[in-house]
């Protein structure tokens, strides 16, 4: 089967024995809107906050994000199949900065995994994918620490982060954002942090 993403230049690529080639591609708001819309429209993605949006609205949101220097969206592809939506952002340019003391070298991450394939969930699959993404963010972008802010009700995501080495931080309330291009309701979030040394000891 040909790889529909083969012509796109990744910002990160890694080959893992027994897992395949994982590529982190800059998100193309037009070309990728259909697959992202499908993912965010599922009940399991309710905490992503985009379940009611049309494909065109999803494309517009990511087209706007592509104009920003502080927030970036990526499509993560494994062996030619899209497997995750990765968003990175500068915490000091985000509402999370109002809720914790940002350190030099911090980077924020939002991660939405694709639904499990026909064979169902596979043991170790998420861990290998997260290790590639962490490698890109911490080593490729030369950052010291990842911060995540899942909704406190999203117990699955919180458990997944803690399982992969994140240390829990405080529970905080992220303030509402109401701008012409962006609306985000207030969110009660569980902060968690992953220091580079945990995964990549010097």
């Amino acid at each position: 089967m040909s790889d529909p993403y083969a012509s796109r230049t990744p910002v990160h690529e890694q080959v893992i024995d027994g897992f395949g080639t994982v590529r982190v591609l800059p998100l193309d708001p037009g070309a990728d809107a259909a697959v992202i819309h499908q993912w965010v429209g599922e009940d399991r993605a309710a905490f992503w906050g985009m379940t009611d949006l049309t494909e065109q609205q999803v494309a517009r949101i990511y087209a706007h994000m592509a104009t920003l220097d502080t927030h970036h969206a990526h499509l993560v592809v494994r062996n030619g199949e899209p497997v995750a939506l990765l968003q990175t952002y500068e915490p000091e340019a985000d509402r999370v900065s109002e809720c914790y003391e940002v350190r030099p070298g911090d980077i924020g991450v939002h991660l939405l995994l694709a639904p499990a394939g026909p064979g169902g969930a596979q043991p170790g699959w998420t861990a290998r994918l997260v290790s590639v993404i962490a490698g890109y963010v911490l080593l490729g972008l030369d950052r010291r620490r990842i911060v995540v802010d899942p909704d406190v009700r999203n117990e699955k995501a919180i458990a997944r982060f803690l399982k992969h080495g994140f240390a829990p931080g405080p529970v905080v309330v992220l303030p509402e954002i109401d701008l012409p291009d962006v609306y985000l309701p207030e969110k009660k979030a569980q902060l968690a942090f992953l220091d580079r040394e945990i995964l990549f000891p010097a």
Side-chain angles (χ1 to χ4, degrees):
M1 190 175 77
S2 63
D3 179 354
Y5 301 96
S7 64
R8 287 165 61 173
T9 303
V11 293
H12 183 75
E13 184 171 330
Q14 192 171 332
V15 179
I16 301 178
D17 287 344
F19 190 66
T21 301
V22 180
R23 304 167 77 229
V24 181
L25 308 173
L27 190 79
D28 181 325
D32 299 331
V35 69
I36 300 303
H37 176 252
Q38 186 180 340
W39 294 351
V40 299
E42 296 183 347
D43 288 344
R44 67 182 189 89
F47 296 112
W48 203 258
M50 298 171 76
T51 44
D52 297 328
L53 300 187
T54 65
E55 184 178 320
Q56 289 71 29
Q57 287 171 316
V58 169
R60 277 201 298 272
I61 286 170
Y62 286 104
H64 170 68
M65 189 179 293
T67 68
L68 305 176
D69 293 328
T70 55
H71 293 63
H72 302 281
H74 302 88
L75 189 69
V76 183
V77 176
R78 169 186 170 251
N79 296 339
E81 289 287 327
V83 290
L85 169 61
L86 168 68
Q87 293 176 199
T88 60
Y89 61 92
E90 302 299 336
E92 63 270 21
D94 191 86
R95 60 181 178 167
V96 75
S97 65
E98 298 182 34
C99 303
Y100 90 104
E101 193 173 332
V102 180
R103 291 186 200 163
D106 279 0
I107 187 166
V109 162
H110 297 304
L111 180 64
L112 178 64
L113 299 175
Q122 299 172 20
W125 192 94
T126 302
R128 285 183 280 191
L129 195 61
V130 168
S131 73
V132 173
I133 290 167
Y136 163 60
V137 172
L138 293 169
L139 300 180
L141 299 179
D142 191 23
R143 298 305 181 101
R144 304 301 312 173
R145 185 172 70 158
I146 296 173
V147 55
V148 293
D149 59 2
D151 191 294
V152 288
R153 298 166 296 170
N154 194 351
E155 296 172 357
K156 230 176 171 177
I158 294 168
R160 186 188 299 127
F161 284 126
L162 299 184
K163 179 182 175 185
H164 296 311
F166 282 75
V171 172
V172 300
V173 176
L174 303 181
E176 177 188 60
I177 302 286
D178 193 358
L179 300 171
D181 291 311
V182 180
Y183 174 74
L184 295 170
E186 183 178 275
K187 180 173 101 169
K188 193 174 184 184
Q190 169 68 64
L191 297 188
F193 303 92
L194 180 65
D195 289 297
R196 186 159 83 181
E197 290 73 24
I198 299 294
L199 286 185
F200 306 105

